[in-house]
């Protein structure tokens, strides 16, 4: 590649667990800015700014005067999730919007026996249920209800707002929800069990922290409102009595909403608190940074690591089963909602324990068009040729590759780059220019 070639376009990177999508961009910018690969792109921006009128240069905020490689992402991933994160560089950021409507493939691990306020293992336990009757055949039968086109309800407690107010605030104040909770039209083209984990054969755990009683009542009130909307005939006298007690408890002990901390995903569905240093534990491994080179950005380590096999489980006996599920879905799909709804269908409760986005459009985890995050921690002669190759593929593309909004392949072929198939748990929002100083946003 000629040294004066301006490299820009779209490529994918394997986002590590525990890291926000915005932090991945900041880490890439910190590596790309001083590099020879992107020196022509930086110089181009300098030339543009040098021709700006003096008044326009003065209007720039101090931090905006720092010239950095312009980057954005084509749909965020929650800190708990790993896998394909599409990144745009330079003019490539203008194409990121196109990736919001393409289909995507996910693999998730569902742990049965309990529900949390966030629908995943990073939240606080709200309910525990019986899981003795949860078998592989029972799960297979329940999954029939989640294939094809249907209306999905987003995670309710943490992030969803109505008329500018989170739903849990209506419950907290004892007010009726002003209108129906909006559902989304989604389409699941492939949904299958990849692996079944019998009780006692896996290391997935419920979170150790349980919500306080008034918080459980608060969440339960919101969930009951959704149940009343979707299946009013299933509301029992016990449900009505529990709701009345919850409202009375909330009125007697109103609490300020706890501050959400997360650091991600426009979608983001789960309200989280900050982890202290002890809770964060060591830098995440797997698809993340090696232990001798831990990322240091503020959005780098937002999820506590899974417990070690020696950690005593939070149950007696062998505990609940778990299942790994692969799905190909349309944009706007909430994986954590599927996990929650599956637990409801089985009467046991369930939560999302792991999530991997293995494909988005034609970008496939493990293929030549998806960079490993650990590569950018190495020298430029390691990551430089790979990024140049990926951006060259984008700049020289013909037709409409890379963006594929139809799912025709079997989910079994997800790891094969040639297969065309593809969204994460929300309507993802692209960031056309994410600056290094941008603060992490609170969520769920």
């Amino acid at each position: 590649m000629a040294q004066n070639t301006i490299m820009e376009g779209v490529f994918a990177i394997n986002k590590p667990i525990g890291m926000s999508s915005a932090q991945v961009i900041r880490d890439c910018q910190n590596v790309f800015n001083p590099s020879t690969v992107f020196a022509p792109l930086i110089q181009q921006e300098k030339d543009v700014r040098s021709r700006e009128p003096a008044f326009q240069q003065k209007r720039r905020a101090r931090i905006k005067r720092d010239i950095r490689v312009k980057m954005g992402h084509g749909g965020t991933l929650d800190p708990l999730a790993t896998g394909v994160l599409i990144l745009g560089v330079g003019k490539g950021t203008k194409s990121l919007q196109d990736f919001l409507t393409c289909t995507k493939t996910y693999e998730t691990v569902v742990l049965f026996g309990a529900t949390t306020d966030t629908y995943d293992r990073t939240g606080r336990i709200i309910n525990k249920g019986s899981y003795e009757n949860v078998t592989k055949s029972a799960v297979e039968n329940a999954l029939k209800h989640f294939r094809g086109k249907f209306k999905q309800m987003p995670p309710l407690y943490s992030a969803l707002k109505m008329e500018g107010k989170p739903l849990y605030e209506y419950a907290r104040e004892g007010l009726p929800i002003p209108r129906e909770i909006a559902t989304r039209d989604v389409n699941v083209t492939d949904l299958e069990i990849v692996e079944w984990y019998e009780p006692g054969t896996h290391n997935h755990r419920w979170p150790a922290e349980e919500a306080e009683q008034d918080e459980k009542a608060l969440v339960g009130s919101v969930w009951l409102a959704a149940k009343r909307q979707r299946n009013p005939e299933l509301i029992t006298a016990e449900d009505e009595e529990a709701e009345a007690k919850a409202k009375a408890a909330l009125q007697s002990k109103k609490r300020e909403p706890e501050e959400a901390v997360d650091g991600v995903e426009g979608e983001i569905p789960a309200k989280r608190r900050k982890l202290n240093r002890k809770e964060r534990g060591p830098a995440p491994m797997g698809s993340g940074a090696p232990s001798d080179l831990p990322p240091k950005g503020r959005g780098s380590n937002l999820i506590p690591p899974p417990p070690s096999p020696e950690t005593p489980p939070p149950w007696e006996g062998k505990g609940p089963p778990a299942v790994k599920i692969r799905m190909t879905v349309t944009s706007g799909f909430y994986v954590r909602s599927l996990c929650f709804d599956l637990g409801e269908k089985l009467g046991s409760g369930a939560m999302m324990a792991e999530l991997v986005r293995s494909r988005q459009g034609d970008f496939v985890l493990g293929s030549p068009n998806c960079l490993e995050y650990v590569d950018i921690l190495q020298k430029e002669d390691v990551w430089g040729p790979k990024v140049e190759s990926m951006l060259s593929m984008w700049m020289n593309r013909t037709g409409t590759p890379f963006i594929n909004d139809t799912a025709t392949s079997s989910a079994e072929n997800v790891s094969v780059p040639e297969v065309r198939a593809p969204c994460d748990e929300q309507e993802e929002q692209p960031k056309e220019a994410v600056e290094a100083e941008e603060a992490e946003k609170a969520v769920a």
Side-chain angles (χ1 to χ4, degrees):
M1 188 65 63
Q3 290 187 351
N4 61 350
T5 301
I6 295 175
M7 301 303 300
E8 51 191 349
V10 177
F11 70 100
I13 192 169
N14 184 4
K15 188 193 83 67
I17 188 173
M19 185 175 291
S20 72
S21 302
Q23 184 62 48
V24 173
I25 290 179
R26 286 193 286 269
D27 289 347
C28 287
Q29 286 178 318
N30 289 337
V31 172
F32 293 170
N33 288 337
S35 69
T36 57
V37 171
F38 292 101
L41 183 61
I42 292 287
Q43 186 59 50
Q44 176 183 253
E45 181 62 22
K46 289 181 179 178
D47 294 341
V48 170
R49 292 195 185 186
S50 68
R51 296 191 293 269
E52 291 178 347
F55 78 90
Q56 189 170 346
Q57 295 183 24
K58 290 182 179 179
R59 287 177 60 185
R60 290 184 183 274
R62 183 181 304 173
I63 192 69
K64 297 290 185 181
R65 294 171 189 167
D66 177 30
I67 298 178
R68 304 178 65 77
V69 175
K70 181 182 180 182
M71 295 187 67
H73 60 64
T76 65
L77 275 175
D78 189 82
L80 179 59
T82 66
V84 175
L85 178 66
I86 294 179
L87 302 179
V89 180
K91 292 181 180 178
T93 58
K94 296 181 180 180
S95 299
L96 294 177
Q97 188 72 31
D98 299 335
F99 290 95
L100 299 187
T101 56
C102 66
T103 49
K104 305 172 179 74
T105 296
Y106 291 92
E107 286 189 2
T108 187
V109 172
V110 185
L111 178 62
F112 297 101
T115 55
T116 67
D117 54 355
T118 62
Y119 292 15
D120 64 29
R121 71 169 177 86
T122 69
R124 295 171 301 172
I125 291 180
I126 301 298
N127 293 319
K128 294 180 181 178
S130 173
Y131 46 80
E132 284 75 13
N133 296 324
V134 177
T135 62
K136 183 178 180 180
S137 60
V139 172
E140 288 176 332
N141 288 330
L143 289 178
K144 296 176 182 178
H145 299 275
F146 301 100
R147 293 189 177 98
K149 297 180 180 180
F150 60 93
K151 290 186 177 294
Q152 186 187 55
M153 189 164 288
L156 296 176
Y157 175 65
S158 296
L160 196 63
K161 291 185 177 182
M162 188 175 291
E163 298 182 3
K165 179 186 291 190
L167 289 183
Y168 59 82
E169 284 300 315
Y170 289 102
R172 190 185 302 280
E173 297 171 11
L175 300 174
I177 294 175
R179 54 184 169 82
E180 281 196 351
I181 301 167
T183 57
R184 298 184 179 196
D185 292 319
V186 296
N187 187 12
V188 179
T189 58
D190 287 296
L191 180 64
E192 64 176 350
I193 293 177
V194 176
E195 189 170 0
W196 175 257
Y197 306 101
E198 291 288 348
T201 65
H202 61 84
N203 193 43
H204 299 291
R205 299 285 189 268
W206 302 332
E209 184 179 5
E210 290 203 27
E212 297 180 7
Q213 284 304 121
D214 61 335
E215 197 73 8
K216 290 182 179 181
L218 180 64
V219 177
S221 181
V222 176
W223 289 352
L224 185 59
K227 184 177 179 180
R228 181 179 288 110
Q229 175 182 320
R230 300 173 72 175
N231 300 296
E233 69 281 0
L234 299 182
I235 300 297
T236 65
E238 290 76 12
D239 290 332
E240 299 285 2
E241 182 180 356
E243 183 180 34
K245 290 182 179 180
K247 288 182 177 180
L250 291 170
Q251 285 297 321
S252 63
K253 185 181 179 182
K254 290 184 178 180
R255 303 188 333 174
E256 292 298 320
E258 73 175 353
E259 298 194 357
V261 174
D262 205 344
V264 100
E265 192 174 10
E267 136 203 22
I268 307 180
K271 193 166 157 181
R272 317 184 203 279
R273 57 186 178 81
K274 287 184 178 178
L275 301 173
N276 60 41
R277 184 169 298 179
K278 182 178 180 181
E279 289 175 312
R280 289 179 181 179
M285 301 291 288
S287 62
S291 58
D292 57 338
L293 287 172
K296 300 183 183 302
R298 61 182 173 273
S300 297
N301 201 5
L302 301 171
I303 300 297
S308 67
E310 294 76 26
T311 303
W315 50 66
E316 296 181 358
K318 292 184 177 181
V323 64
K324 179 182 288 187
I325 300 172
R326 182 186 294 134
M327 66 202 78
T328 297
V329 300
T330 57
S331 178
F333 190 86
Y334 287 87
V335 178
R336 71 187 63 230
S337 281
L338 181 140
C339 298
F340 175 86
D341 292 341
L342 179 60
E344 289 289 288
K345 180 69 68 175
L346 294 167
S348 67
M351 67 185 71
M352 187 177 77
E354 290 184 3
L355 178 64
V356 178
R357 182 157 68 193
S358 55
R359 179 189 292 270
Q360 182 172 358
D362 286 345
F363 290 97
V364 181
L365 194 64
S367 72
N369 63 7
C370 185
L371 185 72
E372 290 297 321
Y373 175 83
V374 292
D375 287 341
I376 69 169
L377 301 179
Q378 312 304 318
K379 295 181 179 180
E380 186 175 348
D381 59 0
V382 174
W383 64 261
K386 297 179 181 179
V387 173
E388 282 187 319
S389 175
M390 294 176 186
L391 294 180
S392 296
M393 288 171 59
W394 176 264
M395 292 188 291
N396 297 327
R397 70 195 186 282
T398 58
T400 56
F402 298 99
I403 303 173
N404 176 36
D405 60 1
T406 60
T408 58
S409 68
S410 168
E412 293 180 356
N413 299 321
V414 67
S415 61
V416 182
E418 293 86 344
V419 175
R420 304 268 182 182
C423 162
D424 189 358
E425 337 163 63
Q426 90 196 12
E427 191 64 32
E428 301 157 333
Q429 301 298 324
K431 294 190 177 184
E432 302 237 333
V434 179
E435 301 296 341
E437 81 284 356
E438 181 182 41
E440 302 294 302
K441 295 185 179 178
V443 287

